[in-house]
Amino acid sequence: MEISELVRTLLAKRGVESDEHITAFLAPDYDSHLHDPMLLSDMDKAVERFFAAFDAGERIALYTDYDCDGIGGAVVLSDFLKKIGYDNFEVYMPHRDIEGYGFHASAVRELAERGAKLIITADVGISGVEATKAAFDAGVDVIITDHHEAMGEIPRALAVVNPKLNNYPFAHLCGAAVAFKFVQAALAEGKRRRLEKFIAIPDGWEKWLLDVVAIATIADMVSMTGENRVLVHWGLQVLRKSPRPGVQALCEVARVRQREITEDDIGFSIAPRLNAASRMAH
């Protein structure tokens, strides 16, 4: 790339110096600048258990946080399940005032009573030791997808997918992005198994999920480097033409031109409205 000395100096102050890193920083490429999702901790176990549930038609509960990141993770996972024609699932978000933040044992028992055999979390769960134990006691398997630091004992879930738990090349993904990596891995495995519902999905379909991943990444204020730059760069492209009625309505009420939406529009106009929802009601 033709880069002026001024820009090179500014990038160098941000730790971006080699031509390779400059290209990745200024022109993120979806295919070459994202890491293999199977490098994430326990991803192989998570994918294997998901397909066991898929084959058996088990009820799946998606347990997510109630902020932009958790909502984004819920959309990513639920859109994926709908795309593969799997409708035996529900989304559970705790009530901010009544239950509070976190992965709760009481909610796990409620989900088990409603027939859930597998719980997949997004943006929550890394501190849910008691909830995971409650799930085990109820005969429910748990796949945790989270991005928060493990501050104490790691829950004994069937799989704990978290970029901070192993030597994954980029540790700063938000929760929705970790859920997105799970979807990437599951789609690839479904196609490898030659499953009809997966083969019918066009290659690259998951890119349409990047609109909510971009919102979540910006709202969670994680480092805008590495994979996050790729996800947000392409997520903004998707957002500008997103057919989601919710996105269109948010842009209208916030007086944001959807076709020209920027990260500032998300950070100051879209994300605060999404985060406000759980402060007003369930």
Side-chain angles (χ1 to χ4, degrees), residues 30 207-215 228-242 261 266:
Y30 181 84
K207 293 177 185 177
W208 287 103
L209 302 174
L210 291 178
D211 52 355
V212 291
V213 175
I215 292 173
N228 287 338
R229 288 191 75 81
V230 183
L231 298 173
V232 171
H233 174 81
W234 293 104
L236 285 171
Q237 312 303 315
V238 176
L239 263 173
R240 289 166 186 155
K241 51 188 175 184
S242 175
I261 195 168
I266 294 171

Side-chain angles (χ1 to χ4, degrees), residues 49-119:
R49 181 60 183 89
F50 167 74
F51 277 99
F54 177 83
D55 293 338
E58 293 177 341
R59 185 161 184 80
I60 298 173
L62 308 177
Y63 191 113
T64 79
D65 192 16
Y66 39 65
D67 67 354
C68 269
D69 198 11
I71 292 169
V75 174
V76 166
L77 294 172
S78 60
D79 275 10
F80 162 64
L81 291 177
K82 292 173 186 176
K83 188 67 176 179
I84 61 174
Y86 199 91
D87 57 7
N88 190 16
F89 77 94
E90 66 174 292
V91 176
Y92 187 95
M93 293 183 188
H95 191 291
R96 178 188 286 268
D97 293 327
I98 298 174
E99 297 172 273
Y101 170 80
F103 189 30
H104 303 297
S106 57
V108 166
R109 287 188 282 267
E110 181 181 331
L111 292 169
E113 289 174 3
R114 293 207 287 265
K117 293 298 181 183
L118 174 63
I119 295 175

Side-chain angles (χ1 to χ4, degrees), residues 94-226:
H95 191 291
R96 178 188 286 268
D97 293 327
I98 298 174
E99 297 172 273
Y101 170 80
F103 189 30
H104 303 297
S106 57
V108 166
R109 287 188 282 267
E110 181 181 331
L111 292 169
E113 289 174 3
R114 293 207 287 265
K117 293 298 181 183
L118 174 63
I119 295 175
I120 304 175
T121 76
D123 190 36
V124 71
I126 195 62
S127 60
V129 174
E130 291 302 318
T132 305
K133 183 179 183 303
F136 178 83
D137 292 341
V140 179
D141 285 330
V142 176
I143 295 171
I144 292 172
T145 77
D146 200 354
H147 72 118
H148 295 101
E149 294 278 359
M151 304 305 291
E153 179 185 352
I154 296 175
R156 295 184 180 180
L158 186 142
V160 182
V161 182
N162 188 321
K164 293 184 173 67
L165 288 187
N166 64 347
N167 294 321
Y168 186 71
F170 186 74
H172 308 296
L173 296 172
C174 72
V178 179
F180 176 78
K181 302 296 285 190
F182 170 77
V183 169
Q184 277 189 312
L187 281 170
E189 179 63 14
K191 288 180 179 292
R192 189 191 69 80
R193 296 187 182 198
R194 306 295 296 170
L195 297 177
E196 182 179 348
K197 290 182 178 179
F198 286 79
I199 293 174
I201 300 174
D203 290 340
W205 166 82
E206 75 280 358
K207 293 177 185 177
W208 287 103
L209 302 174
L210 291 178
D211 52 355
V212 291
V213 175
I215 292 173
T217 300
I218 293 168
D220 231 44
M221 296 191 294
V222 288
S223 172
M224 202 56 62
T225 57

